[in-house]
Amino acid sequence: MKQFLAFVRKEFYHVLRDRRTLLILFGMPIAQILIFGFALTNEVKDSEILVVDYARDNASQELLTKIGSSRYFNIRQAALSHSEILGAFKKGKIKAVVVFPADFNEDLLHQNKAQIQIITDATDVNTANMITNYLSSIIVDYQNQINQNLEIPYRITPEVRMLYNPQLKGAHGFVPGVMALVLLLVSVMMTAISIVREKESGTMEILLVSPFKPVLVIFAKAFPYLALSLVNVTAILLLSVFVLDLPVKGSVVLLFAESTLFIITCLALGIFISIKTDSQQIAMLISLMGMLLPTMMFSGFLFPIENMPIPLQIISNIVPSKWFYIIVKSIMIKGLGITALWKETLILLGMTLFLLLVSLKSFKIRLQ
C-alpha cells in the first residue's frame, strides 16, 4: 500500500505542476457548463418580434401588453406592407410578425371571433414552433380572460401540464448532458495521454522493472484522475444549483456514487486506448474525436434516440454516456432512486468490468 500511495503521489505531482493539464481538467468543465447553461439553450428568450397593428384599439393594445410582459419576446411596432414584412425577415433581425387586422375589436364585439396572423421564420423549425406555441398560449389566455363575463357556448379547452420542467428551462437537459460529456472526455483523454506519455519518454520501462506490480502501476496512474473528476462533478453540481438554478431533487450521495462508477468506466476505457496506442497524438485523437461524436449523437443529449433508425438505437446501447445521462437526469430532475435505476447501474458496472478485463488482458509488461 505504501508503494501504491507513492505512485499515486507521484502522479498527482505530474498533474498539478502541468498548467495545461489543470486547464483541461477544471477550465473545460466550468466553461462548458456555463456555455451550455446560458448560451446554448433551446429556450426562446428575448426573441425580436414585429407587431403590425392596423386596428389600434383597446383589444389589440391589451393583447400586445400581455405579449410584451412575457420574458420571451422583445416587441417592435411598425406599419408595414406585405413586401416590407418579407424584407424584414430576409435581414434576419426578427423571428416573427404578429398582424392585427383593422377590424379586430369589431369582430370580437359583434361576431365573437377574430383573426390574428402570426408569421414566423421557419428556417429554424424548432424556434418557429416554439414562438408560435408561446404566442398561441398568450392569445388563448387573453381569450379566456375576456370570456369570463360573457355568455358563450361551452368549450373543451385542453390543459397542458409540463412535468419536471414546467418553465421549459434548457438547463434541465443540458446540465446532465454536459456532465456526461465532460467526465467522459476528461477521464478518457487524460488517462490515455498520461500512460502513453510514459511510453514515449521511456519511463514506463523503469516503472515496469520496479518491484511494484505492473497492474498497480496502471491503477496508480488512473487514481488521481478519479479524484480530480469527482472535484469536477462537485463544481458542476454547485454551478447548476447556484448559477443555473437547477437543484438536485434526488439523493446527492447516489448521484456521486453513480458518477464514481461512470468515471471508473471512462478510466478503464482510457487505459484500453493507452494500451493500444504508442503516441500521445493518436491517443488524444481517439479519445477526443472517438468519444465526442458518439456521446453527442447517441447519448440522447442532443438528439432523441427513439427517433433514430433501429440499427442506430442498437448501437447507442454500447455508449456508456447514454446510460449515465439517463441516470443523472433521473436523479437530478425526477428525484428517482436506485430502485428505478438499477438496470442502468448494472449496465455501467458490466461495461466497467468488461473494459478492465480486456485492458488488463491486453496489457504487455514488456515494451517493444
Side-chain angles (χ1 to χ4, degrees):
M1 181 58 66
K2 290 183 179 180
Q3 292 176 327
F4 179 76
L5 293 177
F7 272 96
V8 170
R9 187 164 56 249
K10 177 193 79 71
E11 193 61 29
F12 266 115
Y13 289 152
H14 274 299
V15 174
L16 296 178
R17 72 185 181 186
D18 189 346
R19 294 182 179 180
R20 290 175 297 180
T21 301
L22 290 177
L23 181 63
I24 294 174
L25 283 171
F26 298 109
M28 186 174 70
I30 293 174
Q32 285 197 355
I33 199 71
L34 292 176
I35 290 172
F36 276 90
F38 288 108
L40 302 180
T41 174
N42 55 11
E43 294 182 71
V44 173
K45 293 189 295 185
D46 300 325
S47 295
E48 296 287 338
I49 67 170
L50 186 65
V51 174
V52 181
D53 187 4
Y54 295 118
R56 295 188 179 277
D57 49 37
N58 291 334
S60 65
Q61 292 302 311
E62 288 176 2
L63 185 50
L64 279 179
T65 301
K66 287 187 71 67
I67 295 174
S69 62
S70 71
R71 65 185 178 91
Y72 304 118
F73 306 114
N74 291 329
I75 293 179
R76 290 188 291 165
Q77 295 192 42
L80 300 178
S81 64
H82 182 70
S83 60
E84 290 173 326
I85 290 174
L86 294 178
F89 276 118
K90 290 180 180 179
K91 292 179 182 178
K93 294 183 179 180
I94 59 172
K95 296 293 185 182
V97 174
V98 180
V99 181
F100 291 89
D103 51 355
F104 178 73
N105 193 43
E106 294 293 323
D107 289 345
L108 276 178
L109 293 176
H110 300 293
Q111 300 181 20
N112 287 334
K113 62 179 181 179
Q115 291 183 337
I116 298 175
Q117 186 178 26
I118 300 174
I119 308 170
T120 58
D121 182 2
T123 54
D124 187 344
V125 178
N126 292 331
T127 302
N129 285 330
M130 287 187 210
I131 290 175
T132 303
N133 291 335
Y134 288 159
L135 287 172
S136 300
S137 178
I138 294 172
I139 292 170
V140 169
D141 183 64
Y142 172 74
Q143 177 180 281
N144 294 334
Q145 177 184 329
I146 64 176
N147 283 340
Q148 287 179 355
N149 300 321
L150 298 178
E151 294 182 3
I152 57 173
Y154 289 110
R155 290 186 304 171
I156 300 175
T157 304
E159 181 181 347
V160 180
R161 183 185 177 191
M162 300 291 180
L163 293 176
Y164 310 121
N165 186 15
Q167 294 85 18
L168 300 178
K169 292 183 178 180
H172 285 64
F174 283 123
V175 169
V178 170
M179 199 167 168
L181 181 64
V182 166
L183 291 180
L184 183 75
L185 290 180
V186 169
S187 301
V188 173
M189 183 170 61
M190 299 311 300
T191 304
I193 291 176
S194 67
I195 295 176
V196 174
R197 187 193 302 128
E198 301 282 4
K199 289 184 182 180
E200 287 188 338
S201 62
T203 54
M204 181 60 79
E205 296 178 357
I206 300 174
L207 296 176
L208 292 178
V209 298
S210 66
F212 205 47
K213 292 184 178 180
V215 172
L216 294 181
V217 171
I218 300 299
F219 286 165
K221 293 193 69 63
F223 184 82
Y225 298 105
L226 171 63
L228 295 174
S229 295
L230 288 175
V231 174
N232 275 331
V233 172
T234 305
I236 291 173
L237 292 180
L238 290 175
L239 286 172
S240 67
V241 172
F242 295 106
V243 179
L244 301 178
D245 194 24
L246 177 60
V248 180
K249 293 185 178 180
S251 169
V252 176
V253 175
L254 177 61
L255 183 57
F256 270 93
E258 298 283 1
S259 299
T260 303
L261 175 60
F262 179 67
I263 292 169
I264 295 173
T265 308
C266 298
L267 294 177
L269 186 56
I271 292 171
F272 178 75
I273 293 173
S274 68
I275 290 172
K276 296 298 182 180
T277 56
D278 296 316
S279 167
Q280 290 188 60
Q281 287 79 9
I282 297 176
M284 180 179 291
L285 183 63
I286 295 175
S287 303
L288 192 59
M289 299 306 298
M291 298 296 107
L292 179 64
L293 292 178
T295 299
M296 298 188 72
M297 291 178 61
F298 298 119
S299 65
F301 170 32
L302 295 178
F303 307 105
I305 296 176
E306 58 271 13
N307 294 342
M308 296 180 180
I310 298 297
L312 294 182
Q313 293 186 33
I314 296 174
I315 292 174
S316 70
N317 292 326
I318 64 173
V319 179
S321 51
K322 170 191 173 180
W323 306 106
F324 182 66
Y325 176 69
I326 295 173
I327 290 171
V328 175
K329 190 167 60 172
S330 299
I331 296 174
M332 290 189 68
I333 301 173
K334 297 181 180 180
L336 300 181
I338 189 63
T339 55
L341 299 171
W342 63 269
K343 184 183 75 172
E344 290 81 4
T345 304
L346 285 179
I347 291 173
L348 272 184
L349 182 61
M351 288 183 174
T352 305
L353 295 176
F354 174 77
L355 288 171
L356 284 175
L357 289 175
V358 172
S359 300
L360 297 178
K361 193 73 174 177
S362 305
F363 183 65
K364 299 177 181 178
I365 61 174
R366 288 184 175 86
L367 298 179
Q368 295 178 354

